[in-house]
Amino acid sequence: MKAPVAATEGKREAGNAEPGMLRVLTDDGSAVAALDPGLSEADLRRLYRAMLQLRIFDGRMLSLQRSGRIGFYGTATGQEASTIGTAFPLEGRDWIFPALREGGTLALRDYPIRLMVAQLIGNAIDVCRGRQMPCHYSDAKRHYVAMSSVIATQFPHAVGAAMAAKYRKDGAVVLGYIGDGGTSAADFHVAMNFAGVFKPPVVLVCQNNHWAISVPVAVQTSSETIAQKAIAYGIEGVRVDGNDVLAVVRASKAAIDKARSGGGPTFIECVTYRRLGHSSSDDPTRYRDPEEVKAWEAKDPIERFRLHLEKRSIWTAGWQKKLELEINDEITAGIREGEAAGPPAVATLFDDVFRDVPPILEEQRQDLLRQEEAAKGDGAFPL
């Protein structure tokens, strides 16, 4: 049986930046009408706000880290179109398995900024109870699974969850993410092979931002593209301009609709760029050419989308100012609340470990509570 050729591989569509890469928006913000996903004005506004919120939040949190008020942060600056656009067509019943830079997708599920700040601090408000690394958000009610710093693990998890959805026939689609560096890990092969064979309702996304910390994508693979790797697994592969949010939405919606209707998985490569460090602990000037960074800054995904909205008389300077004020005010309120909250109660160590707490753990919890009560007032930790 002949394997399917990657969807846009080897052909040039109008608006494409290069053969095999889907593109809707040109550099000046004009859209190719035949490829425009046809979003409503309300959706276009929501899309822009989510991208802007991610950019502003990243800047504020990185500043917070630099001033010693949080311990760690990883930005998605430059990847807003790829991050937000891929998740935008999802429904509430669908699941997200993020890699490292998909925290911004929570804005599409109305996740409060205050809870994101709380998770970065690891305080009593934090739904993870201070147990996760910063930026590793999680929310079961919103079907957002905690990301892992172990690369590529999200792909097999996403495929497994999609198999569960297939067995349950609940109509849910699972979206899993990976970075270009993760495609060199064994879990990438395992997930792609399993998805190709059993065809669960999963969409697998690679955010190709060109750098796996200090290792360039050219050292990860000798394939001409990452998308074409799908061919070997019998999966449809799509390569899209990851800095063109309308192209990303178009590709993702087609893949999600196909998965939901029983058409099987799709592998999407979003070609984008990580403009800042891998994390707040990384100095990219030690391994990257500044001219490369400058060239990608000129391809800013938010600015390109802004130009498009301006051409359609949707974007105005007044609306921009209003959005920035709203987002910054919400972040400021979240920081104030988060810094005023104390640490998680020590007894929460026993929560969320077992569905039914074993008697030995319940005994230890009660003993800890007694020691805490006895130690009140002297500031000593109960050891």
Side-chain angles (χ1 to χ4, degrees), residues 50-89:
M51 292 172 64
L52 184 63
Q53 177 175 306
L54 176 53
R55 175 71 60 88
I56 293 173
F57 187 78
D58 275 0
R60 293 283 302 272
M61 294 305 105
L62 188 58
S63 295
L64 216 63
Q65 191 279 332
R66 296 304 191 216
S67 61
R69 294 161 72 182
I70 60 175
F72 172 89
Y73 194 75
T75 69
T77 302
Q79 298 181 220
E80 291 88 357
S82 178
T83 299
I84 301 299
T86 47
F88 190 79

Side-chain angles (χ1 to χ4, degrees), residues 50 53-55 57-58 73-76 79-80 82-84 86-87 96-113 116 119-120 134-139 142 144-147 177 207:
Q53 177 175 306
L54 176 53
R55 175 71 60 88
F57 187 78
D58 275 0
Y73 194 75
T75 69
Q79 298 181 220
E80 291 88 357
S82 178
T83 299
I84 301 299
T86 47
I96 298 174
F97 282 75
L100 293 173
R101 304 186 196 281
E102 290 77 33
T105 60
L106 284 166
L108 301 172
R109 301 198 162 187
D110 300 320
Y111 193 73
I113 284 177
M116 298 182 76
Q119 199 278 326
L120 292 166
C135 305
H136 291 48
Y137 316 106
S138 182
D139 192 281
R142 291 173 172 83
Y144 183 93
V145 179
M147 65 180 69
Y177 290 92
Q207 287 215 56

Side-chain angles (χ1 to χ4, degrees), residues 100-290:
L100 293 173
R101 304 186 196 281
E102 290 77 33
T105 60
L106 284 166
L108 301 172
R109 301 198 162 187
D110 300 320
Y111 193 73
I113 284 177
R114 60 185 288 272
L115 294 184
M116 298 182 76
V117 175
Q119 199 278 326
L120 292 166
I121 296 172
N123 57 23
I125 305 170
D126 175 19
V127 296
C128 296
R129 304 179 191 274
R131 299 172 187 173
Q132 261 285 20
M133 287 180 61
C135 305
H136 291 48
Y137 316 106
S138 182
D139 192 281
K141 293 179 181 178
R142 291 173 172 83
H143 291 187
Y144 183 93
V145 179
M147 65 180 69
S148 168
S149 284
V150 182
I151 63 169
T153 58
Q154 293 81 359
F155 256 34
H157 294 164
V159 172
M163 283 299 297
K166 183 175 182 177
Y167 287 139
R168 292 171 178 165
K169 299 181 180 179
D170 60 12
V173 172
V174 180
L175 187 64
Y177 290 92
I178 200 169
D180 46 284
T183 63
S184 295
D187 277 349
F188 171 74
H189 164 78
V190 169
M192 293 284 284
N193 191 59
F194 197 99
V197 172
F198 294 101
K199 297 178 172 42
V202 67
V203 178
L204 299 169
V205 176
C206 173
Q207 287 215 56
N208 177 6
N209 65 15
H210 289 79
W211 289 94
I213 308 185
S214 61
V215 181
V217 69
V219 181
Q220 300 292 346
T221 182
S222 61
S223 295
E224 184 180 352
T225 71
I226 289 178
Q228 72 186 47
K229 293 177 183 289
I231 298 171
Y233 300 99
I235 296 174
E236 179 186 10
V238 179
R239 195 169 194 242
V240 61
D241 182 346
N243 283 14
D244 175 353
V245 70
L246 294 188
V248 175
V249 169
R250 177 185 172 89
S252 185
K253 185 178 187 309
I256 290 167
D257 289 348
K258 185 184 79 171
R260 201 181 311 279
S261 64
T266 304
F267 179 52
I268 302 174
E269 177 192 1
C270 292
V271 182
T272 183
Y273 194 76
R274 190 199 79 212
R275 295 217 322 232
L276 301 179
H278 176 75
S279 72
S280 55
S281 303
D282 174 41
D283 178 9
T285 64
R286 299 183 64 180
Y287 55 82
R288 288 201 309 204
D289 183 347

Side-chain angles (χ1 to χ4, degrees), residues 349-369:
L349 284 169
F350 300 91
D351 296 339
D352 306 317
V353 179
F354 294 94
R355 186 188 66 179
D356 301 313
V357 181
I360 185 64
L361 279 189
E362 182 58 36
E363 181 181 337
Q364 291 175 13
R365 175 161 56 185
Q366 294 304 319
D367 185 52
L368 176 60
L369 291 172

